[in-house]
Amino acid sequence: MPLAAARSSLAALKTHASLNAFTALHPAPALLARVEEAAGRVADGKAKSPLDGQLIAIKDNIATADGLPTGCASKMLEGYVSPFEATVVARLRQAGAVVMGKTNMDEFGMGSHSTHTPHGAVHNPLSPSLSAGGSSGGSAAAVAAGLCHAALGTDTGGSVRLPASYCGIVGFKPSYGLLSRWGVVAYANSLDTVGILSRTTAVARDVFSLLSAPDANDPTCVSAATRARVAARLAATRPPASVPLRIGLPAAYNLLELAPAARAAWVQTLTALAARGHKIVPVELPHTRHALAAYYTLAPAEASSNLARYDGLRYGARADRDHDEGGTLYAPTRHEGLGEEVRRRILLGAYSLSAGRLQNHFLQAQRVRAMVRKDFDNVFRARNELVGGEGAGKQGVDVVLVPTALGPAPERSAAGSGVGEYVNDVLTVPASLAGVPSISVPVPGAVDEEGNSVAVGVQVVAQWGDEESMWRVAAEVEDMGS
């Protein structure tokens, strides 16, 4: 029942305060009052949805209009309260969900360990010394510790899936354009996706079903007509539930840097799925090796444009000094208001967009992105109905199964920064560049070289809009431990 679950979560909040998962919370009495109201509906058989009365946490870069600040874990937006609410948050409220608070994150979504934040690093519930992943580390830690029923994050290049793998939970990035981005503070518009973190695939699916709908406020949100057309054509090519699937095994993900625990979990999962009758098919994704470089050209370029607005004049906090020594109006404001990692990516992006580098950097990365997407289109059975293309037909695969991270969660002290940190996204950015759905599911029984139990996830990646095939395989991976 919602009330018992809420009381358990609020008790866990006190026990796990040291996780530093939240930046702001509603008072416990106010939350319990809302849950009690929903519990009455549930008891009367009038529940608004499966989420009625459930506590949901929201990442700090998703706008809420209930008095909770939306600060993006940045001094630049410290204390900012949005006058409007993100579409995904409004839909959660309409479904009866209770928004409990805002979660800690890497500033403006830029990071892989949730350490680039003025609120202090997020701690992994599995061990305080381990990285919780990023940038949605606060949402992942809150879910893993039982502080909420589910949480929303954002995934630009793996920011939901990576922390999910590190914390041993489910992290889902939908097809680009299925969930509205209205009210989400932009990092890289063409890559940003609202993601879902939960302890089970069933809960993630419930949340997705409630949020996946057109939104006139977001021009990148797919229309109802397109959704219906794609769903009908995918249903016509998708194998029935009684028929085994073809699961792709791409050698491009078998990197030298892959930790033994991650490789063993990958092999274990593929072996278990084969034992259930599914056919494991080697596939080629030749441009995967270029995906990370393309991502870290495109994402900072979009970020440098998006974050130009935070100058203390139009948006954001203003530094005490109006001018620096050279007479520049807002240099002190941006230096004091934006963290080191954000400033680094702004500089990287501005360089890629400069007149002398546009052709060789930004436009070349766009070409690589198109090739990465085409690689996926060439191996999936279903065609990409959003952009066209033939697909591979009956010789193609229904999903691709790959590791989520290079290994288990690293020690936070050894997590690295700058380019060393960027490597953590190498296995998640291809799906982001292609805009296809991907879900990280923890592998039951994963162990390291010493035989110690560790949290390791595998990704199930499907064709654009084919979340149905993805859910089927994800649920089977989840069931391996039962």
Side-chain angles (χ1 to χ4, degrees), residues 134-136 153-155 158-165 171-173 195-197:
S135 62
S136 305
T154 56
D155 192 309
S159 292
V160 161
R161 291 162 287 158
L162 188 65
S165 180
F172 169 47
K173 181 198 84 69
I196 300 162
L197 298 110

Side-chain angles (χ1 to χ4, degrees), residues 63 71 74 85 97 111 137 141 154 166 171 214 257 263 278 294 351 359 375 412 415 420 425 439 455 457 476:
S74 177
E85 197 149 73
T154 56
Y166 285 176
E257 296 83 359
R263 183 175 286 108
H278 300 297
Y351 178 80
Q359 286 285 343
D375 284 349
R412 204 165 49 253
D425 300 330
I439 188 169
E476 292 198 34

Side-chain angles (χ1 to χ4, degrees), residues 49 52 98 101 122 141 163 180 208 215 377 406 413 427 436:
S49 76
D52 202 359
V98 178
V122 178
S180 171
F208 173 68
D215 181 15
D377 289 349
L406 291 172
S413 59
L427 301 174
V436 294

Side-chain angles (χ1 to χ4, degrees), residues 303-377:
S304 71
S305 175
N306 280 324
L307 271 63
R309 71 194 69 173
Y310 301 113
D311 53 15
L313 298 173
R314 295 167 293 179
Y315 300 97
R318 187 155 176 75
D320 293 335
R321 295 174 294 156
D322 287 343
H323 300 78
D324 67 2
E325 292 77 2
T328 305
L329 182 59
Y330 51 78
T333 289
R334 287 173 70 78
H335 181 81
E336 294 177 19
L338 300 174
E340 181 181 355
E341 181 59 30
V342 173
R343 297 198 304 270
R344 178 187 289 116
R345 297 197 191 195
I346 288 173
L347 289 173
L348 284 171
Y351 178 80
S352 298
L353 292 174
S354 61
R357 300 291 178 266
L358 185 66
Q359 286 285 343
N360 289 336
H361 288 72
F362 184 78
L363 296 181
Q364 190 72 358
Q366 291 283 30
R367 296 186 187 101
V368 171
R369 181 180 190 175
M371 289 187 285
V372 169
R373 190 199 71 226
K374 189 173 181 180
D375 284 349
F376 280 110
D377 289 349

Side-chain angles (χ1 to χ4, degrees), residues 167-222:
C167 293
I169 60 171
V170 172
F172 169 47
K173 181 198 84 69
S175 300
Y176 181 85
L178 289 188
L179 299 193
S180 171
R181 292 189 301 109
W182 172 256
V184 178
V185 179
Y187 164 16
N189 302 56
S190 72
L191 295 159
D192 290 341
T193 308
V194 174
I196 300 162
L197 298 110
S198 63
R199 288 184 289 279
T200 66
T201 58
V203 171
R205 189 170 189 170
D206 285 342
V207 178
F208 173 68
S209 297
L210 289 168
L211 301 184
S212 180
D215 181 15
N217 290 322
D218 178 8
T220 65
C221 194
V222 180

Side-chain angles (χ1 to χ4, degrees), residues 252-276:
Y253 283 77
N254 189 21
L255 303 176
L256 181 65
E257 296 83 359
L258 200 62
R263 183 175 286 108
W266 187 20
V267 173
Q268 171 190 337
T269 306
L270 290 166
T271 302
L273 291 171
R276 293 184 174 216

